Amino acid sequence: MQNSVAEKADFWFDPVCPYAWVTSRWMGEVEQVRSISIDWHVMSLAVLNEGRDLPPDYRTLMDSAWAPVRVLIAAETLHGAQYTKPLYDAMGTRIHVDGNRDFELVIKEALAEVGLPDELADYGSTDEFDAKLRASHQGAIDRVGDEVGTPVVAFNGTAFFGPVLTRIPRGEEAGRIFDAAVQLASFPGFFEIKRTRTEDPSFE
């Protein structure tokens, strides 16, 4: 580890987003080579896309995307924030690495993996904790605006949409990319870097 002083990151994710998954795996690599504290927060692509005119396939995905985030918020509310990241890891591995799009099964298996009661799955089809879901989501939007997606990452309090990665940086390369992100975030006049994606995300 290069720095003795811990950096602070806040990470907002939707478990169905492949780009958030890649970036979250990068953050896991960063934890191995830098002093960093990360807080994990739920945001929702379903909430973000409410009322928008979407292609039919993406609308179908957004309709089904409510269940995983609702269950995550229910687990956090009823059992504690210490379950947010492990439950995300369990869901994301099934969705992105295993290619499982049966979110009902994903939720059931993920809850079992992290030792949470299976009845939490019932919250996926109710709006009981939607106010808390929307508040968590708004925590990201308040920092970056609504013309974004997932992930949203704040570096020492300064948040951006992204970084959007298609491959998972490993080891010291992950650390150098993190150092660059922190440096950019430290300059108050920096807002955006963007280019068109030319490859799909890889989870290897």
Side-chain angles (χ1 to χ4, degrees):
M1 286 187 184
Q2 288 191 350
N3 300 323
S4 59
V5 178
E7 307 284 359
K8 178 68 170 64
D10 287 272
F11 194 110
W12 283 265
F13 65 90
D14 185 312
V16 308
C17 177
Y19 297 103
W21 181 251
V22 172
T23 304
S24 71
R25 300 311 94 181
W26 163 60
M27 294 297 283
E29 291 287 317
V30 172
E31 287 183 296
Q32 305 305 310
V33 295
R34 296 292 186 272
S35 295
I36 178 174
S37 171
I38 309 172
D39 288 338
W40 299 87
H41 314 275
V42 180
M43 66 181 297
S44 171
L45 290 174
V47 171
L48 186 69
N49 286 286
E50 280 184 314
R52 295 182 178 179
D53 186 18
L54 303 174
D57 286 350
Y58 196 63
R59 170 49 62 198
T60 298
L61 175 62
M62 290 300 95
D63 290 344
S64 63
W66 282 99
V69 290
R70 281 172 164 167
V71 171
L72 275 157
I73 287 294
E76 181 179 296
T77 302
L78 298 174
H79 296 276
Q82 71 271 19
Y83 284 102
T84 302
K85 177 60 162 43
L87 190 54
Y88 173 37
D89 291 344
M91 288 183 181
T93 297
R94 287 163 174 79
I95 294 170
H96 303 296
V97 179
D98 300 339
N100 190 343
R101 295 298 181 268
D102 181 348
F103 293 163
E104 183 176 341
L105 180 60
V106 164
I107 290 167
K108 178 181 178 181
E109 292 181 350
L111 289 171
E113 179 180 320
V114 301
L116 286 168
D118 56 10
E119 57 263 29
L120 278 173
D122 296 341
Y123 290 100
S125 58
T126 76
D127 62 1
E128 182 170 345
F129 293 113
D130 278 10
K132 292 188 176 183
L133 171 60
R134 291 177 185 278
S136 182
H137 175 86
Q138 195 63 37
I141 300 304
D142 287 347
R143 288 165 173 81
V144 295
D146 58 5
E147 295 300 318
V148 298
T150 58
V152 168
V153 185
F155 301 97
N156 297 322
T158 301
F160 300 98
F161 166 43
V164 175
L165 306 170
T166 58
R167 307 173 199 175
I168 305 168
R170 304 290 185 182
E172 185 55 28
E173 182 180 42
R176 290 195 301 271
I177 294 171
F178 177 76
D179 295 341
V182 169
Q183 187 64 36
L184 288 171
S186 71
F187 178 61
F190 174 75
F191 286 89
E192 182 177 13
I193 291 178
K194 186 174 176 62
R195 63 174 173 163
T196 300
R197 293 189 299 269
T198 58
E199 62 183 26
D200 293 329
S202 170
F203 311 126
E204 297 179 358

Short mmCIF file of all heavy atoms in Angstrom, two decimals, residues 102-169:
data_model
loop_
_atom_site.label_atom_id
_atom_site.label_comp_id
_atom_site.label_asym_id
_atom_site.label_seq_id
_atom_site.Cartn_x
_atom_site.Cartn_y
_atom_site.Cartn_z
N ASP A 102 -32.86 -14.93 -14.02
CA ASP A 102 -34.03 -15.25 -13.20
C ASP A 102 -33.83 -14.57 -11.85
O ASP A 102 -33.27 -15.17 -10.93
CB ASP A 102 -34.17 -16.77 -13.06
CG ASP A 102 -35.39 -17.18 -12.24
OD1 ASP A 102 -36.01 -16.31 -11.59
OD2 ASP A 102 -35.72 -18.37 -12.25
N PHE A 103 -34.25 -13.32 -11.74
CA PHE A 103 -33.95 -12.55 -10.54
C PHE A 103 -34.60 -13.13 -9.30
O PHE A 103 -34.08 -12.97 -8.19
CB PHE A 103 -34.36 -11.09 -10.73
CG PHE A 103 -33.55 -10.36 -11.77
CD1 PHE A 103 -34.00 -9.17 -12.32
CD2 PHE A 103 -32.33 -10.85 -12.20
CE1 PHE A 103 -33.26 -8.48 -13.27
CE2 PHE A 103 -31.57 -10.18 -13.16
CZ PHE A 103 -32.04 -9.00 -13.69
N GLU A 104 -35.72 -13.79 -9.45
CA GLU A 104 -36.36 -14.43 -8.29
C GLU A 104 -35.44 -15.50 -7.72
O GLU A 104 -35.26 -15.59 -6.49
CB GLU A 104 -37.70 -15.03 -8.71
CG GLU A 104 -38.47 -15.66 -7.56
CD GLU A 104 -39.84 -16.18 -7.98
OE1 GLU A 104 -40.35 -15.74 -9.04
OE2 GLU A 104 -40.40 -17.01 -7.24
N LEU A 105 -34.85 -16.31 -8.58
CA LEU A 105 -33.93 -17.34 -8.12
C LEU A 105 -32.64 -16.71 -7.60
O LEU A 105 -32.09 -17.16 -6.58
CB LEU A 105 -33.62 -18.31 -9.26
CG LEU A 105 -32.66 -19.46 -8.93
CD1 LEU A 105 -33.21 -20.32 -7.80
CD2 LEU A 105 -32.40 -20.30 -10.18
N VAL A 106 -32.14 -15.70 -8.29
CA VAL A 106 -30.94 -15.00 -7.84
C VAL A 106 -31.11 -14.49 -6.42
O VAL A 106 -30.23 -14.67 -5.56
CB VAL A 106 -30.63 -13.81 -8.80
CG1 VAL A 106 -29.64 -12.84 -8.15
CG2 VAL A 106 -30.07 -14.33 -10.12
N ILE A 107 -32.24 -13.85 -6.15
CA ILE A 107 -32.50 -13.31 -4.81
C ILE A 107 -32.53 -14.42 -3.77
O ILE A 107 -31.92 -14.32 -2.70
CB ILE A 107 -33.81 -12.50 -4.82
CG1 ILE A 107 -33.62 -11.20 -5.62
CG2 ILE A 107 -34.27 -12.20 -3.40
CD1 ILE A 107 -34.92 -10.50 -5.94
N LYS A 108 -33.25 -15.48 -4.08
CA LYS A 108 -33.38 -16.60 -3.14
C LYS A 108 -32.01 -17.19 -2.80
O LYS A 108 -31.69 -17.40 -1.62
CB LYS A 108 -34.29 -17.67 -3.74
CG LYS A 108 -34.45 -18.90 -2.87
CD LYS A 108 -35.35 -19.94 -3.54
CE LYS A 108 -35.48 -21.20 -2.69
NZ LYS A 108 -36.33 -22.23 -3.37
N GLU A 109 -31.19 -17.45 -3.82
CA GLU A 109 -29.88 -18.05 -3.59
C GLU A 109 -28.94 -17.08 -2.88
O GLU A 109 -28.15 -17.49 -2.01
CB GLU A 109 -29.28 -18.50 -4.91
CG GLU A 109 -30.00 -19.67 -5.55
CD GLU A 109 -29.37 -20.12 -6.86
OE1 GLU A 109 -28.48 -19.40 -7.36
OE2 GLU A 109 -29.75 -21.19 -7.36
N ALA A 110 -29.02 -15.80 -3.23
CA ALA A 110 -28.13 -14.82 -2.61
C ALA A 110 -28.44 -14.64 -1.13
O ALA A 110 -27.53 -14.54 -0.30
CB ALA A 110 -28.25 -13.49 -3.35
N LEU A 111 -29.71 -14.60 -0.78
CA LEU A 111 -30.08 -14.50 0.63
C LEU A 111 -29.55 -15.69 1.42
O LEU A 111 -29.02 -15.53 2.53
CB LEU A 111 -31.60 -14.41 0.76
CG LEU A 111 -32.26 -13.11 0.30
CD1 LEU A 111 -33.77 -13.26 0.28
CD2 LEU A 111 -31.85 -11.94 1.20
N ALA A 112 -29.69 -16.87 0.85
CA ALA A 112 -29.19 -18.06 1.53
C ALA A 112 -27.67 -18.01 1.70
O ALA A 112 -27.14 -18.37 2.75
CB ALA A 112 -29.59 -19.31 0.75
N GLU A 113 -26.97 -17.52 0.68
CA GLU A 113 -25.51 -17.48 0.74
C GLU A 113 -25.02 -16.59 1.88
O GLU A 113 -24.04 -16.92 2.55
CB GLU A 113 -24.95 -16.97 -0.58
CG GLU A 113 -23.43 -16.86 -0.58
CD GLU A 113 -22.86 -16.37 -1.89
OE1 GLU A 113 -23.35 -16.79 -2.96
OE2 GLU A 113 -21.91 -15.56 -1.85
N VAL A 114 -25.68 -15.46 2.10
CA VAL A 114 -25.19 -14.52 3.12
C VAL A 114 -25.85 -14.74 4.47
O VAL A 114 -25.59 -14.01 5.42
CB VAL A 114 -25.36 -13.06 2.66
CG1 VAL A 114 -24.62 -12.81 1.37
CG2 VAL A 114 -26.83 -12.68 2.53
N GLY A 115 -26.72 -15.75 4.57
CA GLY A 115 -27.31 -16.09 5.86
C GLY A 115 -28.47 -15.23 6.28
O GLY A 115 -28.74 -15.09 7.48
N LEU A 116 -29.20 -14.66 5.32
CA LEU A 116 -30.38 -13.87 5.61
C LEU A 116 -31.64 -14.70 5.40
O LEU A 116 -31.65 -15.63 4.58
CB LEU A 116 -30.42 -12.63 4.72
CG LEU A 116 -29.41 -11.53 5.07
CD1 LEU A 116 -29.35 -10.49 3.96
CD2 LEU A 116 -29.77 -10.87 6.40
N PRO A 117 -32.72 -14.40 6.12
CA PRO A 117 -33.94 -15.19 6.01
C PRO A 117 -34.56 -15.11 4.62
O PRO A 117 -34.59 -14.04 4.00
CB PRO A 117 -34.87 -14.59 7.07
CG PRO A 117 -34.31 -13.25 7.38
CD PRO A 117 -32.84 -13.33 7.15
N ASP A 118 -35.05 -16.25 4.14
CA ASP A 118 -35.57 -16.29 2.77
C ASP A 118 -36.83 -15.47 2.59
O ASP A 118 -37.16 -15.07 1.47
CB ASP A 118 -35.80 -17.74 2.32
CG ASP A 118 -36.72 -18.52 3.25
OD1 ASP A 118 -37.33 -17.93 4.16
OD2 ASP A 118 -36.82 -19.75 3.04
N GLU A 119 -37.54 -15.15 3.69
CA GLU A 119 -38.75 -14.34 3.55
C GLU A 119 -38.46 -12.91 3.11
O GLU A 119 -39.37 -12.18 2.69
CB GLU A 119 -39.57 -14.34 4.84
CG GLU A 119 -38.86 -13.86 6.07
CD GLU A 119 -38.31 -15.04 6.88
OE1 GLU A 119 -37.99 -16.09 6.29
OE2 GLU A 119 -38.18 -14.87 8.13
N LEU A 120 -37.19 -12.48 3.18
CA LEU A 120 -36.84 -11.16 2.66
C LEU A 120 -37.13 -11.05 1.17
O LEU A 120 -37.35 -9.95 0.66
CB LEU A 120 -35.36 -10.86 2.91
CG LEU A 120 -34.96 -10.35 4.29
CD1 LEU A 120 -33.44 -10.27 4.40
CD2 LEU A 120 -35.58 -9.00 4.58
N ALA A 121 -37.15 -12.18 0.48
CA ALA A 121 -37.45 -12.16 -0.95
C ALA A 121 -38.83 -11.59 -1.23
O ALA A 121 -39.07 -11.02 -2.32
CB ALA A 121 -37.34 -13.58 -1.53
N ASP A 122 -39.74 -11.71 -0.28
CA ASP A 122 -41.10 -11.20 -0.47
C ASP A 122 -41.12 -9.69 -0.69
O ASP A 122 -42.02 -9.16 -1.33
CB ASP A 122 -41.98 -11.56 0.73
CG ASP A 122 -42.17 -13.06 0.89
OD1 ASP A 122 -41.95 -13.79 -0.10
OD2 ASP A 122 -42.53 -13.49 2.00
N TYR A 123 -40.12 -8.99 -0.15
CA TYR A 123 -40.08 -7.54 -0.30
C TYR A 123 -39.79 -7.11 -1.73
O TYR A 123 -39.98 -5.94 -2.08
CB TYR A 123 -39.07 -6.92 0.66
CG TYR A 123 -39.49 -7.01 2.09
CD1 TYR A 123 -38.98 -7.99 2.95
CD2 TYR A 123 -40.43 -6.12 2.61
CE1 TYR A 123 -39.39 -8.08 4.27
CE2 TYR A 123 -40.84 -6.19 3.94
CZ TYR A 123 -40.31 -7.18 4.76
OH TYR A 123 -40.73 -7.25 6.09
N GLY A 124 -39.33 -8.04 -2.56
CA GLY A 124 -39.07 -7.70 -3.95
C GLY A 124 -40.31 -7.32 -4.73
O GLY A 124 -40.21 -6.62 -5.75
N SER A 125 -41.45 -7.73 -4.26
CA SER A 125 -42.70 -7.45 -4.98
C SER A 125 -43.59 -6.48 -4.23
O SER A 125 -44.78 -6.35 -4.54
CB SER A 125 -43.46 -8.75 -5.24
OG SER A 125 -43.74 -9.43 -4.02
N THR A 126 -43.04 -5.79 -3.22
CA THR A 126 -43.83 -4.80 -2.48
C THR A 126 -43.11 -3.46 -2.49
O THR A 126 -41.90 -3.39 -2.74
CB THR A 126 -44.04 -5.22 -1.01
OG1 THR A 126 -42.83 -4.99 -0.28
CG2 THR A 126 -44.45 -6.68 -0.91
N ASP A 127 -43.86 -2.39 -2.21
CA ASP A 127 -43.26 -1.06 -2.17
C ASP A 127 -43.04 -0.58 -0.74
O ASP A 127 -42.87 0.61 -0.49
CB ASP A 127 -44.13 -0.06 -2.94
CG ASP A 127 -45.53 0.08 -2.35
OD1 ASP A 127 -45.83 -0.57 -1.32
OD2 ASP A 127 -46.33 0.85 -2.92
N GLU A 128 -43.00 -1.52 0.21
CA GLU A 128 -42.94 -1.15 1.62
C GLU A 128 -41.74 -0.27 1.95
O GLU A 128 -41.84 0.66 2.75
CB GLU A 128 -42.93 -2.40 2.50
CG GLU A 128 -42.91 -2.09 3.99
CD GLU A 128 -43.15 -3.31 4.86
OE1 GLU A 128 -43.60 -4.35 4.32
OE2 GLU A 128 -42.90 -3.22 6.07
N PHE A 129 -40.60 -0.56 1.33
CA PHE A 129 -39.39 0.22 1.62
C PHE A 129 -38.98 1.10 0.45
O PHE A 129 -37.82 1.54 0.38
CB PHE A 129 -38.25 -0.73 2.00
CG PHE A 129 -38.47 -1.45 3.30
CD1 PHE A 129 -38.66 -2.83 3.31
CD2 PHE A 129 -38.50 -0.77 4.50
CE1 PHE A 129 -38.87 -3.50 4.50
CE2 PHE A 129 -38.71 -1.43 5.70
CZ PHE A 129 -38.91 -2.81 5.70
N ASP A 130 -39.91 1.38 -0.44
CA ASP A 130 -39.57 2.19 -1.61
C ASP A 130 -39.13 3.61 -1.23
O ASP A 130 -38.30 4.21 -1.92
CB ASP A 130 -40.73 2.26 -2.60
CG ASP A 130 -40.80 1.04 -3.51
OD1 ASP A 130 -40.07 0.06 -3.25
OD2 ASP A 130 -41.59 1.06 -4.48
N ALA A 131 -39.70 4.16 -0.16
CA ALA A 131 -39.27 5.49 0.26
C ALA A 131 -37.78 5.50 0.61
O ALA A 131 -37.04 6.43 0.25
CB ALA A 131 -40.10 5.98 1.44
N LYS A 132 -37.32 4.44 1.29
CA LYS A 132 -35.90 4.35 1.63
C LYS A 132 -35.06 4.06 0.39
O LYS A 132 -33.93 4.57 0.26
CB LYS A 132 -35.70 3.27 2.69
CG LYS A 132 -36.30 3.65 4.04
CD LYS A 132 -35.92 2.66 5.13
CE LYS A 132 -36.45 3.14 6.48
NZ LYS A 132 -36.07 2.26 7.58
N LEU A 133 -35.58 3.25 -0.52
CA LEU A 133 -34.88 3.00 -1.78
C LEU A 133 -34.69 4.31 -2.54
O LEU A 133 -33.59 4.61 -3.03
CB LEU A 133 -35.66 2.00 -2.62
CG LEU A 133 -35.19 1.78 -4.06
CD1 LEU A 133 -33.75 1.28 -4.09
CD2 LEU A 133 -36.12 0.82 -4.79
N ARG A 134 -35.76 5.08 -2.64
CA ARG A 134 -35.68 6.34 -3.38
C ARG A 134 -34.74 7.33 -2.69
O ARG A 134 -34.03 8.10 -3.35
CB ARG A 134 -37.08 6.93 -3.55
CG ARG A 134 -37.96 6.12 -4.49
CD ARG A 134 -39.37 6.68 -4.58
NE ARG A 134 -40.23 5.83 -5.39
CZ ARG A 134 -40.28 5.85 -6.72
NH1 ARG A 134 -39.53 6.72 -7.39
NH2 ARG A 134 -41.08 5.03 -7.37
N ALA A 135 -34.73 7.31 -1.38
CA ALA A 135 -33.82 8.21 -0.65
C ALA A 135 -32.36 7.82 -0.90
O ALA A 135 -31.50 8.70 -1.08
CB ALA A 135 -34.14 8.17 0.83
N SER A 136 -32.07 6.53 -0.90
CA SER A 136 -30.72 6.08 -1.17
C SER A 136 -30.31 6.45 -2.60
O SER A 136 -29.20 6.94 -2.84
CB SER A 136 -30.63 4.57 -0.96
OG SER A 136 -29.31 4.10 -1.17
N HIS A 137 -31.22 6.21 -3.53
CA HIS A 137 -30.99 6.58 -4.92
C HIS A 137 -30.74 8.09 -5.05
O HIS A 137 -29.81 8.53 -5.74
CB HIS A 137 -32.20 6.17 -5.75
CG HIS A 137 -32.16 6.60 -7.18
ND1 HIS A 137 -31.54 5.85 -8.16
CD2 HIS A 137 -32.66 7.71 -7.81
CE1 HIS A 137 -31.66 6.47 -9.32
NE2 HIS A 137 -32.34 7.60 -9.14
N GLN A 138 -31.55 8.87 -4.36
CA GLN A 138 -31.44 10.32 -4.46
C GLN A 138 -30.11 10.81 -3.89
O GLN A 138 -29.60 11.86 -4.31
CB GLN A 138 -32.61 10.98 -3.72
CG GLN A 138 -32.79 12.46 -4.05
CD GLN A 138 -33.13 12.70 -5.51
OE1 GLN A 138 -33.87 11.91 -6.12
NE2 GLN A 138 -32.60 13.77 -6.09
N GLY A 139 -29.55 10.06 -2.97
CA GLY A 139 -28.24 10.42 -2.44
C GLY A 139 -27.18 10.49 -3.52
O GLY A 139 -26.26 11.33 -3.46
N ALA A 140 -27.30 9.62 -4.53
CA ALA A 140 -26.39 9.68 -5.68
C ALA A 140 -26.77 10.83 -6.60
O ALA A 140 -25.91 11.61 -7.03
CB ALA A 140 -26.41 8.37 -6.44
N ILE A 141 -28.06 10.94 -6.92
CA ILE A 141 -28.51 11.95 -7.87
C ILE A 141 -28.21 13.36 -7.37
O ILE A 141 -27.83 14.24 -8.15
CB ILE A 141 -30.02 11.78 -8.15
CG1 ILE A 141 -30.30 10.40 -8.75
CG2 ILE A 141 -30.54 12.88 -9.06
CD1 ILE A 141 -29.53 10.10 -10.01
N ASP A 142 -28.37 13.59 -6.09
CA ASP A 142 -28.08 14.91 -5.52
C ASP A 142 -26.63 15.31 -5.74
O ASP A 142 -26.31 16.51 -5.78
CB ASP A 142 -28.40 14.93 -4.03
CG ASP A 142 -29.88 14.94 -3.73
OD1 ASP A 142 -30.68 15.17 -4.66
OD2 ASP A 142 -30.25 14.69 -2.57
N ARG A 143 -25.76 14.33 -5.88
CA ARG A 143 -24.34 14.62 -6.03
C ARG A 143 -23.91 14.78 -7.48
O ARG A 143 -22.90 15.44 -7.75
CB ARG A 143 -23.51 13.50 -5.37
CG ARG A 143 -23.57 13.53 -3.84
CD ARG A 143 -23.08 12.22 -3.24
NE ARG A 143 -22.97 12.30 -1.78
CZ ARG A 143 -23.99 12.15 -0.96
NH1 ARG A 143 -25.21 11.92 -1.44
NH2 ARG A 143 -23.82 12.23 0.35
N VAL A 144 -24.65 14.16 -8.41
CA VAL A 144 -24.17 14.16 -9.80
C VAL A 144 -25.20 14.62 -10.82
O VAL A 144 -24.88 14.76 -11.99
CB VAL A 144 -23.66 12.75 -10.21
CG1 VAL A 144 -22.44 12.37 -9.38
CG2 VAL A 144 -24.75 11.70 -10.05
N GLY A 145 -26.46 14.82 -10.42
CA GLY A 145 -27.50 15.14 -11.39
C GLY A 145 -28.16 13.89 -11.93
O GLY A 145 -27.73 12.77 -11.65
N ASP A 146 -29.23 14.07 -12.73
CA ASP A 146 -30.01 12.91 -13.15
C ASP A 146 -29.70 12.42 -14.55
O ASP A 146 -30.32 11.48 -15.04
CB ASP A 146 -31.51 13.20 -13.02
CG ASP A 146 -31.95 14.40 -13.85
OD1 ASP A 146 -31.13 14.96 -14.59
OD2 ASP A 146 -33.13 14.77 -13.73
N GLU A 147 -28.72 13.01 -15.23
CA GLU A 147 -28.33 12.53 -16.56
C GLU A 147 -27.19 11.53 -16.43
O GLU A 147 -26.12 11.67 -17.04
CB GLU A 147 -27.94 13.71 -17.46
CG GLU A 147 -29.08 14.66 -17.75
CD GLU A 147 -30.24 13.98 -18.46
OE1 GLU A 147 -29.99 13.17 -19.38
OE2 GLU A 147 -31.40 14.25 -18.08
N VAL A 148 -27.43 10.49 -15.63
CA VAL A 148 -26.38 9.53 -15.32
C VAL A 148 -26.97 8.12 -15.35
O VAL A 148 -28.13 7.91 -15.68
CB VAL A 148 -25.76 9.80 -13.93
CG1 VAL A 148 -25.11 11.17 -13.88
CG2 VAL A 148 -26.82 9.68 -12.83
N GLY A 149 -26.14 7.17 -14.98
CA GLY A 149 -26.57 5.79 -14.77
C GLY A 149 -25.84 5.27 -13.55
O GLY A 149 -25.53 6.02 -12.63
N THR A 150 -25.53 3.98 -13.57
CA THR A 150 -24.72 3.41 -12.50
C THR A 150 -23.41 2.91 -13.10
O THR A 150 -23.38 2.50 -14.26
CB THR A 150 -25.45 2.25 -11.80
OG1 THR A 150 -25.76 1.25 -12.75
CG2 THR A 150 -26.71 2.72 -11.13
N PRO A 151 -22.33 2.95 -12.33
CA PRO A 151 -22.26 3.35 -10.93
C PRO A 151 -22.09 4.85 -10.76
O PRO A 151 -21.74 5.56 -11.70
CB PRO A 151 -21.00 2.63 -10.45
CG PRO A 151 -20.10 2.70 -11.65
CD PRO A 151 -21.02 2.49 -12.84
N VAL A 152 -22.33 5.32 -9.54
CA VAL A 152 -21.91 6.64 -9.10
C VAL A 152 -20.90 6.42 -7.97
O VAL A 152 -21.18 5.66 -7.03
CB VAL A 152 -23.09 7.49 -8.62
CG1 VAL A 152 -22.60 8.75 -7.90
CG2 VAL A 152 -24.00 7.86 -9.79
N VAL A 153 -19.75 7.05 -8.09
CA VAL A 153 -18.71 6.88 -7.08
C VAL A 153 -18.25 8.27 -6.62
O VAL A 153 -18.00 9.15 -7.44
CB VAL A 153 -17.50 6.10 -7.63
CG1 VAL A 153 -16.49 5.84 -6.51
CG2 VAL A 153 -17.93 4.78 -8.26
N ALA A 154 -18.18 8.43 -5.31
CA ALA A 154 -17.64 9.65 -4.72
C ALA A 154 -16.26 9.36 -4.16
O ALA A 154 -16.07 8.39 -3.43
CB ALA A 154 -18.55 10.18 -3.62
N PHE A 155 -15.30 10.19 -4.54
CA PHE A 155 -13.93 10.07 -4.05
C PHE A 155 -13.69 11.22 -3.08
O PHE A 155 -13.67 12.39 -3.48
CB PHE A 155 -12.94 10.13 -5.21
CG PHE A 155 -13.14 9.06 -6.24
CD1 PHE A 155 -13.87 9.32 -7.40
CD2 PHE A 155 -12.64 7.79 -6.05
CE1 PHE A 155 -14.06 8.34 -8.34
CE2 PHE A 155 -12.84 6.79 -6.99
CZ PHE A 155 -13.55 7.06 -8.15
N ASN A 156 -13.55 10.88 -1.81
CA ASN A 156 -13.36 11.90 -0.77
C ASN A 156 -14.41 12.99 -0.87
O ASN A 156 -14.13 14.18 -0.69
CB ASN A 156 -11.95 12.48 -0.86
CG ASN A 156 -10.87 11.45 -0.60
OD1 ASN A 156 -11.02 10.58 0.26
ND2 ASN A 156 -9.79 11.51 -1.35
N GLY A 157 -15.65 12.58 -1.15
CA GLY A 157 -16.78 13.49 -1.15
C GLY A 157 -17.18 14.06 -2.48
O GLY A 157 -18.27 14.62 -2.62
N THR A 158 -16.33 13.95 -3.50
CA THR A 158 -16.64 14.47 -4.84
C THR A 158 -17.10 13.31 -5.71
O THR A 158 -16.33 12.36 -5.93
CB THR A 158 -15.43 15.16 -5.47
OG1 THR A 158 -15.02 16.24 -4.63
CG2 THR A 158 -15.79 15.71 -6.85
N ALA A 159 -18.34 13.39 -6.20
CA ALA A 159 -18.95 12.24 -6.89
C ALA A 159 -19.01 12.46 -8.39
O ALA A 159 -19.14 13.57 -8.89
CB ALA A 159 -20.36 12.00 -6.35
N PHE A 160 -18.95 11.32 -9.11
CA PHE A 160 -19.07 11.30 -10.56
C PHE A 160 -19.89 10.08 -10.97
O PHE A 160 -19.95 9.08 -10.24
CB PHE A 160 -17.69 11.18 -11.23
CG PHE A 160 -16.76 12.30 -10.91
CD1 PHE A 160 -15.80 12.14 -9.92
CD2 PHE A 160 -16.82 13.50 -11.58
CE1 PHE A 160 -14.93 13.17 -9.60
CE2 PHE A 160 -15.96 14.53 -11.28
CZ PHE A 160 -15.01 14.37 -10.29
N PHE A 161 -20.51 10.17 -12.14
CA PHE A 161 -21.01 8.96 -12.79
C PHE A 161 -19.79 8.22 -13.33
O PHE A 161 -19.04 8.71 -14.14
CB PHE A 161 -21.96 9.35 -13.93
CG PHE A 161 -22.26 8.21 -14.88
CD1 PHE A 161 -22.54 6.93 -14.42
CD2 PHE A 161 -22.29 8.44 -16.25
CE1 PHE A 161 -22.82 5.89 -15.29
CE2 PHE A 161 -22.58 7.41 -17.14
CZ PHE A 161 -22.85 6.14 -16.66
N GLY A 162 -19.61 7.01 -12.83
CA GLY A 162 -18.44 6.24 -13.21
C GLY A 162 -17.40 6.24 -12.09
O GLY A 162 -17.72 6.60 -10.96
N PRO A 163 -16.17 5.83 -12.41
CA PRO A 163 -15.71 5.52 -13.75
C PRO A 163 -16.38 4.29 -14.35
O PRO A 163 -16.62 3.30 -13.65
CB PRO A 163 -14.20 5.29 -13.57
CG PRO A 163 -14.03 4.95 -12.13
CD PRO A 163 -15.11 5.66 -11.40
N VAL A 164 -16.66 4.38 -15.64
CA VAL A 164 -17.24 3.27 -16.39
C VAL A 164 -16.10 2.47 -17.00
O VAL A 164 -15.34 2.98 -17.83
CB VAL A 164 -18.20 3.77 -17.48
CG1 VAL A 164 -18.71 2.60 -18.32
CG2 VAL A 164 -19.37 4.52 -16.86
N LEU A 165 -15.98 1.24 -16.58
CA LEU A 165 -14.91 0.35 -17.03
C LEU A 165 -15.52 -0.86 -17.71
O LEU A 165 -16.58 -1.33 -17.30
CB LEU A 165 -14.06 -0.11 -15.84
CG LEU A 165 -13.46 0.99 -14.94
CD1 LEU A 165 -12.88 0.35 -13.68
CD2 LEU A 165 -12.40 1.75 -15.70
N THR A 166 -14.84 -1.37 -18.72
CA THR A 166 -15.30 -2.60 -19.36
C THR A 166 -14.45 -3.81 -18.98
O THR A 166 -14.81 -4.93 -19.29
CB THR A 166 -15.31 -2.46 -20.89
OG1 THR A 166 -13.99 -2.13 -21.35
CG2 THR A 166 -16.30 -1.39 -21.33
N ARG A 167 -13.33 -3.55 -18.33
CA ARG A 167 -12.46 -4.63 -17.85
C ARG A 167 -12.06 -4.31 -16.41
O ARG A 167 -12.00 -3.14 -16.04
CB ARG A 167 -11.21 -4.77 -18.72
CG ARG A 167 -11.49 -4.92 -20.20
CD ARG A 167 -10.21 -4.89 -21.01
NE ARG A 167 -10.47 -4.57 -22.40
CZ ARG A 167 -9.53 -4.38 -23.30
NH1 ARG A 167 -8.26 -4.48 -22.97
NH2 ARG A 167 -9.86 -4.08 -24.56
N ILE A 168 -11.77 -5.33 -15.65
CA ILE A 168 -11.43 -5.15 -14.25
C ILE A 168 -9.92 -4.96 -14.10
O ILE A 168 -9.16 -5.89 -14.34
CB ILE A 168 -11.88 -6.36 -13.40
CG1 ILE A 168 -13.37 -6.64 -13.59
CG2 ILE A 168 -11.56 -6.13 -11.92
CD1 ILE A 168 -13.83 -7.97 -13.03
N PRO A 169 -9.47 -3.76 -13.73
CA PRO A 169 -8.04 -3.58 -13.46
C PRO A 169 -7.63 -4.39 -12.23
O PRO A 169 -8.39 -4.51 -11.27
CB PRO A 169 -7.92 -2.07 -13.19
CG PRO A 169 -9.18 -1.46 -13.72
CD PRO A 169 -10.23 -2.51 -13.55
#
